[in-house]
Structure formats: C-alpha cells, structure tokens
Amino acid sequence: MKKTVSTATALSTAIVIALGGIALTGQSAFAGPAPASDGDGSAPQGVSPSGTAGDASPALGAGTDVVEVDGGGPDLAPPTSDADGDAAGAEPEPSATGSEDAAPVEATPAEEVPAPSEDAPAPAVEAPAPGEEDDAEADDPAAVVAPAAPVVESPAPDAFVSVSTAEGAQGSTLPVTVAGTAAPSAVVTITFERLEVDGASAGPITVATDATGRWTSTTRLASGDWSVVTTQHLVDPAGERASEESPASTPVEFWAVAVTLPAPTLDGPVTGDRFASVGGAGAAVTVTGGGEPGASVRLAAVAADGTDLDYDGSVPVDGAGRWSATVRVPVGTWELGAIQDLVVDAVTVLTSPNVVSGTFVVEVRDRLAAPVVLSPREGHRFEQASDVTPGYVDTVFEGTGEPGAVLVPFSGTRAEVDQFLATVGDTPLPPYDFPIVVGQDGTWAIFGSQLPGDYVFTAVQYDPAFTVPVFSAGADTVGYSVGAPTAVPAGAGGPGATPVVTVPGSGLPVRAATNATALAYTGTSETTPWAGLAGLVLVGLGAATVLVTRRRASRG
C-alpha cells in the first residue's frame, strides 16, 4: 500500500514538473526577438502594445490555442505536431521521468534576445558623412554667395546717343543698346530710369551672359535723359537660379535722341575766324543760321581738347526760317554745334542731327588804347572852299594810333558823338572799300570836305586781325566849325566828285564810295603816299555833314 502511495506521489510530481516545463517553453517562445518598428516606438502591425495578438495578426499560426499561465495572462499553447511527430516551429518537448531525484527540465529557446525596455536608451542617429552638409547648402540659392555687380561698358557715362530714322528711330523713340560684362553662366537684369520730370522707367529686362561673361541688350526708349543700372545672379546648367542677386551697378547716365528732323544750317563762325578775349574773360561770338520755322535751336561748343560747353536755353527759329544768337566762348580752339527740336504735341518732340561750325580761335587781347587827335584843335575854323565839290569846305584831321589798327572817325553834333561812343561796340561795322589804317609810324591823317556848320570830332580804333572788332575807347572830342566858302574854284562839281551817301542818325558810315579823284591820306607826306578811302560820312541825327576825301599833292 505504502509503495503504491509513493508511486502515485512520484507520478503526480512528474506530471507537475512536465506541465511546468511546457509552460516555460511557451513563455520562451513568446518572448522571442522583438519585431522591427518604424522607429516611432509603435508595435508592429497585428500586435497590440501590450503583447496581445490582434485578430488579423499573421504572427499567429492556424490552430494555435491560447492558455492561461501563472500570471493569469494569456500565453501561447505548444504548437501541434506535424505528421512526422516533430513540433512545428519549436524545439522538441523534453521528456519527463518518474524518478524522485530527477531535476526539472527547462525549455531553452533557440535564441535569447532581450525584450525592449522602457529605460533602454534610444538608438543613436547616424551623423552625415563629411561634405554631405555642404552639398545640402549648395542646393539652396540663398546659401551661395552673390556675385559682384555687372559692369556697364556701353553707353559711356554722359554719352550722347543719337539714332537716325535709317537706324530705327521713329517719331521720338529710338533703340538703345546696352552692353557690358558679368559672370559666365549668369542672368543680367537691366533697368532704365528717366531723369526728367515724368520719371518714366523701362524694364526690368533680363539677358544671359555668354561663356566669357559678355552680355548685350537693345531696348526702345523715348528721347530724353536716362540712367541705367544692372544686377546679376548665377544659374545652374538646367537654367535654375543658383545664387542671390548681386548688388546694383553704378548708375550710368546718358542722353538719348531720336534724330528724325533735318539739321539746321550754320552761317558762321567759319574756319580761320579769330575772336579777341579782352582780359581773358572769353569772347562774344555771334552765330547765325537757318532752321525749321517754329523749332528751337540748342547750341554747344566743343574745344580741341575735348571739353564740352553746353549753353542753357534755346534760340527760336522765326517764320522765315532764320535764327541768331551770341554766346561767350573761353580762350582756346573751338567748334560750335547746333541741334534743332520741334515740339509736335505733349509727348512727341522731333530732334535733328548735330551740325558743326568751322574751327575758330579765341585769343587773349588787351584792349587798344584810344587814338589821339592832334588836329584840329578845339575851336578851329575851316574856311577853304573845296575845288572839287561846290559849296563844301576842305577839312584836315590828323593824329596818332596803334600801327596797323583801323581807325573809325566820327563827326557830328555833341549828342550824335555821345551816341556813337556809347554804341560803337554793339553796332556791326559797314564794309569799307578803303579802311583808314594807322601807318607803321603810328600816325594817321584824313583829308576831306564838309558843309558849313559847327561840329564835334572823335575817333576809335580796333585790331583788324580779329573777326569781330574790339574797339578802343574814344579819342578826346574836339569842337570845330566850317565857315561859308569864300569862293568856288573853277571846274568845281566835275564828274570826278562823288559824295558819300549816309543814313542820318546811324552813328556809323553806311558805305565808302570809290572816288578816283578823292582819296584819303593815311600817314605822313614824307613817308607815305596818298592812299585809302574814297569817302567817309560822319553824320548823325539831324546832321547834314558829308565828308568827301580828295587827292592832294605832296607837301613841299
């Protein structure tokens, strides 16, 4: 009986140990390697975070049963055996013995992998290899340093850009070409701004550079004063932007003109003209010409050394197509240029090409001293009747001046003489057939005839080397009288006498008539032959004086 009880107890103990081994084997199988996750700590699809298999979990094979273990939680039952008696997907089941001293059998999993722990550190993030970060920055346009500003080579600063109708100008608009250099494989952005009241702009216009970095672009602009600036950015081989925008280039200002009106004409100055600058202050140069009636003419001077001198304002062209202006030109060698503009409407202004005068010179010249009157003296009276012109009395005027200078005498009333001296520098001289030139010894003399009356005499002189005379101050005035002729010589009034015609009150002679028998004497009788002036009228307003020179024999 006792043996039977012992045997039963041993059998029970063996069964319990076997069941415990089976339970341990199931736990080891369930605690296998952790499935891979997506990196966010979530359980794989089909398995809940608590370790419970979901309904659609592929990790559970068909026919797998759920059993309870000591923890009260569900666990997997041993897999069923296949036809050959081997366990499917598990280690062979350990055998049990009925011996009392037999040790418990422990199930050993094929591979022990620790289960994930909440306290385990997160996997380290792998750092990028050297150079990978720089490549990433290169893909960002903002990370590439911007190139330098482009260079505008054409037009040059302050250039005058004129385009004719044949070159594409239409009305008041014209094509303007801008060119320069930048980085190769870049895109240049061009912007124009008009520097006038309207503040118009054009652009931006983009143009690609060539392999050497050169670029060019042509844009149609309205006539006016413009400024151009450029920027650039790099592009990759696919044409995508690869850098930030560069700084702007230095603004280049230029004047653009659509040339669609005929050029004006210039009558002077002509090549070889000389103008005197008294004291170095420049010379007053009068320029005249023709143009389109209603147009305005703009003037500028260009020196031989390249200096430009623009004159403010413009000169209107009258209805007859004529214009005239006087400008002051500094010392040097110059040319004058003229352009005419015609306003069609509020937005259209037609402009002509530039026309250039001949080359002229402005020289420093001191003003000549006033001539000196030696004869007659104050209060002198002439009474010798003329043997050439009936009713006239012979007169003689003598004095000194600068050798080679031209003498301009004047005789009239006191008011007329004062007016002459005040206006002689502003009134153009008439052409003289025989100008009165001061001799090389510095003396001058005039022999002539006048009607009876009371007169005042004066004279000025100028250097004939200059195109426009610069007159000296007037000589001291001398008052004299002409008496009634005592007798008229026989033969007076013959065909050789030709009085000079004048305009009363003009202040200057209108012309000097050629007279074969009446010539002016310039110089002394001992050294200078009779020469010079056929006639010289010296009258003013209200005067009826006529001065007629006549031939005289050489003094004893």
Side-chain angles (χ1 to χ4, degrees):
M1 180 67 177
K2 182 178 179 180
K3 184 179 182 179
T4 302
V5 173
S6 299
T7 301
T9 300
L11 180 60
S12 300
T13 300
I15 293 173
V16 171
I17 291 172
L19 291 175
I22 295 173
L24 289 174
T25 303
Q27 278 287 46
S28 298
F30 190 70
S37 69
D38 294 333
D40 56 1
S42 59
Q45 183 178 3
V47 180
S48 66
S50 63
T52 306
D55 294 340
S57 174
L60 302 180
T64 303
D65 296 329
V66 180
V67 297
E68 294 293 333
V69 295
D70 291 342
D75 201 279
L76 298 179
T80 58
S81 300
D82 55 16
D84 297 330
D86 297 330
E91 292 293 332
E93 181 179 347
S95 60
T97 176
S99 173
E100 292 182 358
D101 54 357
V105 179
E106 295 182 1
T108 303
E111 181 180 1
E112 292 187 4
V113 178
S117 171
E118 294 181 358
D119 297 333
V125 178
E126 184 178 357
E132 291 182 358
E133 184 176 355
D134 294 340
D135 293 340
E137 291 181 356
D139 294 336
D140 181 7
V144 178
V145 177
V151 176
V152 178
E153 297 178 340
S154 176
D158 300 323
F160 181 81
V161 180
S162 62
V163 177
S164 66
T165 303
E167 296 169 326
Q170 297 177 356
S172 60
T173 65
L174 68 154
V176 175
T177 299
V178 182
T181 58
S185 301
V187 172
V188 176
T189 301
I190 308 168
T191 304
F192 297 91
E193 181 180 0
R194 187 165 176 169
L195 303 178
E196 295 175 357
V197 178
D198 58 4
S201 61
I205 302 161
T206 58
V207 59
T209 63
D210 61 17
T212 64
R214 298 204 62 82
W215 56 271
T216 183
S217 177
T218 300
T219 306
R220 181 166 287 274
L221 301 175
S223 294
D225 194 8
W226 289 90
S227 172
V228 59
V229 296
T230 59
T231 59
Q232 67 170 324
H233 62 265
L234 304 179
V235 294
D236 59 22
E240 298 296 330
R241 188 187 187 99
S243 76
E244 295 178 339
E245 198 72 9
S246 75
S249 62
T250 301
V252 174
E253 298 180 9
F254 61 93
W255 184 266
V257 176
V259 181
T260 55
L261 194 68
T265 60
L266 278 177
D267 300 333
V270 298
T271 299
D273 281 351
R274 295 174 63 190
F275 297 91
S277 171
V278 178
V285 178
T286 299
V287 54
T288 60
E292 190 77 13
S296 298
V297 176
R298 292 181 280 120
L299 297 173
V302 180
D305 62 1
T307 302
D308 291 336
L309 183 61
D310 293 328
Y311 295 101
D312 294 335
S314 58
V315 183
V317 181
D318 62 23
R322 301 295 302 171
W323 59 273
S324 176
T326 299
V327 295
R328 186 159 292 277
V329 183
V331 173
T333 302
W334 297 86
E335 293 177 337
L336 280 175
I339 295 174
Q340 65 175 337
D341 304 310
L342 181 63
V343 177
V344 178
D345 52 44
V347 296
T348 304
V349 178
L350 304 182
T351 302
S352 77
N354 187 36
V355 60
V356 179
S357 72
T359 302
F360 61 93
V361 177
V362 176
E363 303 174 20
V364 175
R365 178 66 159 95
D366 293 333
R367 186 183 296 274
L368 274 64
V372 176
V373 179
L374 299 177
S375 176
R377 298 296 184 179
E378 181 72 26
H380 183 80
R381 183 177 180 85
F382 294 102
E383 294 181 342
Q384 178 65 44
S386 171
D387 60 356
V388 176
T389 307
Y392 284 78
V393 174
D394 291 337
T395 57
V396 179
F397 303 93
E398 295 180 293
T400 60
E402 181 168 329
V406 173
L407 190 77
V408 180
F410 190 89
S411 181
T413 65
R414 171 63 64 178
E416 293 168 348
V417 167
D418 291 343
Q419 183 181 14
F420 165 75
L421 293 176
T423 60
V424 66
D426 301 325
T427 305
L429 285 175
Y432 290 101
D433 291 337
F434 301 99
I436 304 172
V437 180
V438 179
Q440 293 302 311
D441 62 353
T443 63
W444 56 269
I446 304 173
F447 295 87
S449 299
Q450 287 183 273
L451 291 172
D454 294 329
Y455 300 96
V456 175
F457 178 83
T458 190
V460 295
Q461 62 180 340
Y462 66 88
D463 187 346
F466 293 97
T467 304
V468 176
V470 177
F471 293 97
S472 69
D476 292 338
T477 58
V478 176
Y480 68 97
S481 63
V482 175
T486 58
V488 178
T498 306
V500 176
V501 180
T502 65
V503 176
S506 65
L508 286 174
V510 174
R511 67 180 178 87
T514 300
N515 188 337
T517 62
L519 299 177
Y521 172 70
T522 57
T524 64
S525 60
E526 291 81 5
T527 59
T528 308
W530 295 101
L533 188 63
L536 180 64
V537 176
L538 305 172
V539 298
L541 287 171
T545 302
V546 177
L547 178 63
V548 180
T549 60
R550 62 188 180 85
R551 185 185 307 275
R552 287 181 178 271
S554 176
R555 297 180 183 179

